[in-house]
Each structure stands twice: as structure tokens, then as C-alpha cells.
Amino acid sequence: MARPDKAATVAELTEQFRSSSAAVLTEYRGLTVAQLKTLRRSLGENAQYAVVKNTLTKIAANEAGITTLDDLFNGPTAVAFVTGDPVESAKGLRDFAKDNPNLVIKGGVLDGKVLSADEIKKLADLESREVLLAKLAGALKGKQTQAAQVFQALPSKLVRTVDALRAKQDEQGGAE
């Protein structure tokens, strides 16, 4: 029978997997406590970085319906549970790993889809949600302005065309 403390840990990890939009598994071998503290800060407010036991975390992930991460639970493992913008946390992990090569991104899961370490790095290259929304709004506003200019140009072009046709008819009528 499972010990109560282990059962509580599995239940807590299962809830974290279920409530997170993303979870990134890392290997932290060789990092100091101070470096781990810096890493936790770099992930942003909407992520929690936890050093975990592989067996208990594998059980919790399976209970949460994530069965495809089993191969990543080897060696010293820590999980970044992301509840906010996954791009911000992925950037934090990528940037920290550049400065601290001992941090190895193993892989993860985003909205139920398994991500490789390379895919997480590509996710980190994306701009944040707010920047993408601002760009979309700017593009839509620009398209509206272009449409308004086109709609304004149509009547004036029509008037010029009609005037040109009248002038041409007058010339042809006067030439006869």
C-alpha cells in the first residue's frame, strides 16, 4: 500500500498537470540552489518550477491522462508547470539554458500535445501573445484604412471618367 505522503504528492502533481496549460521537463544536474532560484524567477509569475521524483511524477502524469512523457522521466528531473503564457516560460527556460548549459530541456506537453525539446525552443522564438494581438490589431486597422481609401476613390474616379466621356463626346459632336 502506498504511503500517505507519496499518495499526497501524486495527487498534488496530478492536479498541477491538469490545471497547467503546459509542462516542460528539464534535467537540472549540476545547477546550484542559487541558479535554480534564478531560473524560477526567469520563468515568470505564471509558472512553477518543481524538482520531482520520476516515479511519482510518471504516475501523476498518467493519472492526468499524459502517457507520452514516460521516456523523459530519467535522471534528475524538474518540471515547469505553466498556467499562463507558455511562450514567456519557454523563453525563460531557453535564455537560462544559454547561460547555464547544465539545464537541459527534455521535452514537454502543451494543451495535451507532446513537444520535443526542439519544439519548445521554437515556441520560445515566438513573440508573446500580447505582441501578436497588437500586430493583428494594427494589420486590421491598416486594412480598414486601405478599404476606406478605395471606397472614397471609387466615386471620384467615376466622376472623372464621366467627365472625360462627356468631353470626348463634345469633341466628337463638335468635329462632325
Side-chain angles (χ1 to χ4, degrees):
M1 179 164 241
R3 292 191 349 220
D5 57 335
K6 288 185 179 182
T9 301
V10 168
E12 182 181 332
L13 289 169
T14 302
E15 180 56 33
Q16 284 183 311
F17 274 113
R18 286 183 179 147
S19 64
S20 299
S21 60
V24 180
L25 277 66
T26 64
E27 183 175 318
Y28 63 94
R29 186 187 325 251
L31 293 177
T32 65
V33 172
Q35 288 172 322
L36 287 174
K37 189 175 183 180
T38 303
L39 172 59
R40 284 184 174 101
R41 272 193 242 115
S42 71
L43 291 177
E45 296 176 8
N46 297 320
Q48 182 182 4
Y49 190 74
V51 174
V52 294
K53 291 192 175 281
N54 288 333
T55 306
L56 299 179
T57 309
K58 188 187 298 187
I59 293 168
N62 288 333
E63 286 183 9
I66 304 168
T67 58
T68 52
L69 297 177
D70 289 353
D71 296 340
L72 302 178
F73 291 112
N74 52 22
T77 303
V79 181
F81 294 103
V82 182
T83 55
D85 184 11
V87 174
E88 179 185 354
S89 298
K91 283 182 184 192
L93 285 168
R94 178 200 60 196
D95 295 344
F96 186 85
K98 282 181 186 175
D99 297 335
N100 301 282
N102 286 337
L103 180 74
V104 177
I105 298 172
K106 295 180 179 183
V109 63
L110 173 66
D111 293 328
K113 181 187 179 294
V114 176
L115 300 176
S116 68
D118 290 335
E119 289 172 321
I120 292 171
K121 290 174 185 169
K122 286 179 186 175
L123 180 67
D125 292 336
L126 291 176
E127 293 175 338
S128 71
R129 182 177 186 272
E130 290 77 20
V131 171
L132 292 174
L133 287 174
K135 284 185 175 184
L136 177 64
L140 290 175
K141 183 178 179 185
K143 294 295 180 192
Q144 288 175 342
T145 303
Q146 288 175 344
Q149 290 170 349
V150 166
F151 292 137
Q152 282 179 334
L154 288 176
S156 63
K157 186 174 182 179
L158 177 66
V159 169
R160 286 193 304 270
T161 305
V162 169
D163 284 344
L165 285 173
R166 274 194 199 136
K168 189 174 181 180
Q169 283 178 346
D170 289 345
E171 287 177 15
Q172 288 175 352
E176 290 180 17

